[in-house]
Amino acid sequence: MLLLLGPTDAGKTTLALRLLERAGEAHLLDLDPGQGALPGTFTLFRYREGSLTPVRRALVGALSPVGVEAKALVAALRLARLIPRGSPAIGDTDGLLDPSYRLLQVDALAPTEVLILGSEALYQALSWRQDLRVRLAKPLPEARRKTAAERRRNRLERLLAHFQEARPRALPLKGPAEPGRLYGLLDGEGFFLAYGKLLAWEGGEGLFLTPHEGEVARLEATRLSLPTPALPG
């Protein structure tokens, strides 16, 4: 695996997509819970013939690894273990530059190479390790810095797309509960199925708006909420 690290808006995702195109068939490990494919999650994709197909998702439950570092590391490792042996893979991360967290992430994922875009400090924090292949590169010249408002809008658009086919359904839920909060619906292996927005709660049962109609093994509260009239329900 090639693991891409660096600050926000350095061009990591753009570079990842270019490298996937060159590979033709590979896997993408989306490790950006804030600006990735679905906010609050990590996603393993299979890339083939110009398209990305989700394989599995893991719940992080926050828009940054800060405060949920252990959960984020385990989520990334569980998805990485699903990559077939010998398959080219690229890990695309968020913009957190904390050296301690990044070193733990590198140790957990054991990438073949680490490419750091635009952070000399992070490079110095990792390059002392003789068992790691770490390179430093400049940010992509076409990378554009997004405003906070653009980032919020991007997250909202992805969440609304996720809820496009959502319908209300009742699910068992132990309290206390907070209506409006997003819950992760998990399968029997602990992988993410979908989000559910809690609409109401009473007597050990919650009414959720969710696109998932199948079996749910567990509900897990997240740090995310979606208080918007644009969302059905």
Side-chain angles (χ1 to χ4, degrees):
M1 178 192 299
L2 170 64
L3 187 64
L4 301 177
L5 304 179
T8 300
D9 297 329
K12 297 187 296 295
T13 301
T14 300
L15 178 59
L17 293 175
R18 288 180 181 175
L19 294 174
L20 289 172
E21 290 175 0
R22 291 184 186 179
E25 185 170 349
H27 283 79
L28 172 66
L29 189 54
D30 174 5
L31 301 176
D32 187 345
Q35 292 294 305
L38 182 61
T41 70
F42 290 160
T43 308
L44 176 63
F45 291 96
R46 184 182 67 180
Y47 179 86
R48 187 177 183 183
E49 297 179 353
S51 63
L52 287 168
T53 302
V55 177
R56 284 286 183 90
R57 282 197 164 104
L59 180 66
V60 177
L63 300 177
S64 168
V66 176
V68 291
E69 290 89 349
K71 188 172 184 178
L73 290 169
V74 171
L77 179 57
R78 292 200 71 202
L79 291 175
R81 287 174 174 169
L82 300 177
I83 300 173
R85 185 181 299 274
S87 172
I90 299 171
D92 181 19
T93 64
D94 64 287
L96 182 64
L97 297 178
D98 176 42
S100 298
Y101 173 74
R102 288 305 174 201
L103 188 56
L104 287 172
Q105 187 180 52
V106 169
D107 280 338
L109 297 178
T112 305
E113 182 176 358
V114 178
L115 179 60
I116 299 174
L117 298 181
S119 177
E120 175 73 30
L122 187 58
Y123 173 76
Q124 294 298 333
L126 299 183
S127 61
W128 64 272
R129 283 277 297 269
Q130 297 179 4
D131 59 330
L132 300 177
R133 184 182 179 190
V134 184
R135 288 193 295 145
L136 176 65
K138 294 180 180 179
L140 296 189
E142 63 270 36
R144 183 182 68 85
R145 187 158 188 82
K146 303 179 187 68
T147 66
E150 286 178 305
R151 294 183 176 283
R152 288 193 297 269
R153 184 168 61 251
N154 288 341
R155 288 194 293 267
L156 180 59
E157 288 175 353
R158 291 183 172 105
L159 284 171
L160 291 178
H162 178 71
F163 278 93
Q164 189 172 7
E165 303 297 328
R167 297 290 184 272
R169 65 175 295 189
L171 291 167
L173 178 65
K174 296 180 181 179
E178 183 180 345
R181 182 68 51 186
L182 292 187
Y183 283 70
L185 280 58
L186 307 182
D187 67 14
E189 297 180 21
F191 287 105
F192 178 87
L193 295 168
Y195 280 123
K197 178 184 177 181
L198 181 60
L199 303 176
W201 173 78
E202 185 176 0
E205 188 173 71
L207 180 63
F208 291 87
L209 188 69
T210 177
H212 183 70
E213 298 179 352
E215 184 177 351
V216 177
R218 179 179 171 84
L219 290 165
E220 188 169 319
T222 75
R223 298 183 178 185
L224 284 68
S225 60
L226 199 54
T228 168
L231 184 64

